[in-house]
Amino acid sequence: MDSGANSYRRFLEGDRNSFTELVAEYWDGLTLYLTGFAESFSEAEELAEETFLKLYTDKPRFSGKSTFKTWLYSVGRYTAYNFIRKRRKIQQAPIDQFYDISDREDIEKNHIQSDERRLLHRTMEKLTPDYRQVLYLVYFENFSNTETAVIMKKSERQVRNLLYRAKGALKKLLEKEGFEYEEL
C-alpha cells in the first residue's frame, strides 16, 4: 500500500493529521496537473482545493484498483470537468484575467530547474489540452500508460496514440522555438 493510500485510510479512521500529509504530498503535482483544465493558475489552485475538500467532506471510497495518486488525479479531473460544465452554464465575466502569472512561476521553479525545461513547459501550454495532459502525466508525474488511461478515461491504445501525436506536435513547436534536444 502506498503512503497516500495509507494516509487516506488513517484519515478515514479519524486521524486528521494524515489529511495534512496528503495535502502536503500531492498539492503541487495535482495543482500543476489541473492547470491543463483551468484558465489561470489561481483557478487550478481552486480546483485542487475543491478536490481535497471533496475528499475531506464526502470521503469517497478508495478501492485500491490503482495507486492512490492515480485515483486522486481522477477525482481532480472529475472535479475540473464539473467546474467547467458549471462555468459554461453561468457564463461569468472572466475575473481571472487580472491575476498575475508570476505566482505560477514560484511552483514552476520547484519543478522545472533548467532553462530547457522552462521552455518545454511553456511550449506545452500551446498544445491542445489532451496532448498537454498526456505528456504531463507520463513525463512529469511518471504515470504509466495504464494509469494515464485510467485518469484520462481512455483506453491504453488511445493513450499510446495520443502520446505519439503529442510528442510529434511538441517536437514541431520546440523546433520553431529553436530548441535543441537530445531525444523526445
Side-chain angles (χ1 to χ4, degrees):
M1 181 179 287
D2 62 56
S3 64
N6 188 28
S7 295
Y8 188 63
R9 181 190 48 76
R10 287 191 345 260
F11 165 70
L12 292 176
E13 292 171 354
D15 178 10
R16 296 200 189 274
N17 291 332
S18 61
F19 191 78
T20 305
E21 293 171 11
L22 285 175
V23 174
E25 175 81 20
Y26 297 105
W27 176 264
D28 290 346
L30 180 64
T31 303
L32 285 174
Y33 169 65
L34 293 173
T35 59
F37 298 99
E39 291 180 354
S40 69
F41 188 72
S42 60
E43 190 174 272
E45 288 181 318
E46 288 178 34
L47 290 171
E49 283 178 24
E50 192 68 32
T51 301
F52 283 110
L53 182 63
K54 187 174 290 194
L55 292 184
Y56 193 83
T57 57
D58 298 347
K59 297 178 175 87
R61 190 170 90 71
F62 172 61
S63 66
K65 291 180 182 176
S66 62
T67 66
F68 180 80
K69 187 176 180 180
T70 302
W71 177 76
L72 176 64
Y73 279 48
S74 295
V75 172
R77 182 174 192 262
Y78 177 75
T79 302
Y81 280 153
N82 281 340
F83 177 80
I84 291 167
R85 228 177 285 132
K86 288 176 187 175
R87 182 176 55 207
R88 284 185 193 147
K89 289 180 183 177
I90 296 173
Q91 294 182 356
Q92 58 184 321
I95 294 173
D96 290 332
Q97 69 188 5
F98 301 109
Y99 287 105
D100 188 10
I101 299 290
S102 64
D103 63 343
R104 183 178 195 161
E105 293 296 322
D106 293 339
I107 288 182
E108 284 183 55
K109 286 178 186 173
N110 294 334
H111 291 282
I112 305 169
Q113 296 298 313
S114 67
D115 290 338
E116 292 85 15
R117 285 188 158 256
R118 281 191 201 102
L119 175 62
L120 175 66
H121 189 70
R122 288 188 187 121
T123 305
M124 281 180 60
E125 290 177 355
K126 297 176 185 175
L127 296 172
T128 65
D130 275 351
Y131 284 2
R132 195 170 45 238
Q133 228 182 103
V134 74
L135 289 171
Y136 179 78
L137 291 172
V138 171
Y139 293 109
F140 287 86
E141 289 295 329
N142 296 318
F143 281 114
S144 67
N145 287 356
T146 304
E147 292 169 321
T148 301
V150 169
I151 292 170
M152 294 183 73
K153 297 209 183 300
K154 297 188 180 296
S155 69
E156 284 187 62
R157 182 183 182 107
Q158 288 173 313
V159 167
R160 280 194 308 272
N161 290 337
L162 196 58
L163 189 59
Y164 177 80
R165 291 191 310 264
K167 288 186 338 187
L170 181 61
K171 182 178 177 181
K172 285 181 184 178
L173 286 173
L174 287 171
E175 286 173 348
K176 284 182 185 177
E177 297 284 333
F179 182 77
E180 294 182 24
Y181 51 88
E182 292 176 20
E183 68 179 67
L184 180 64

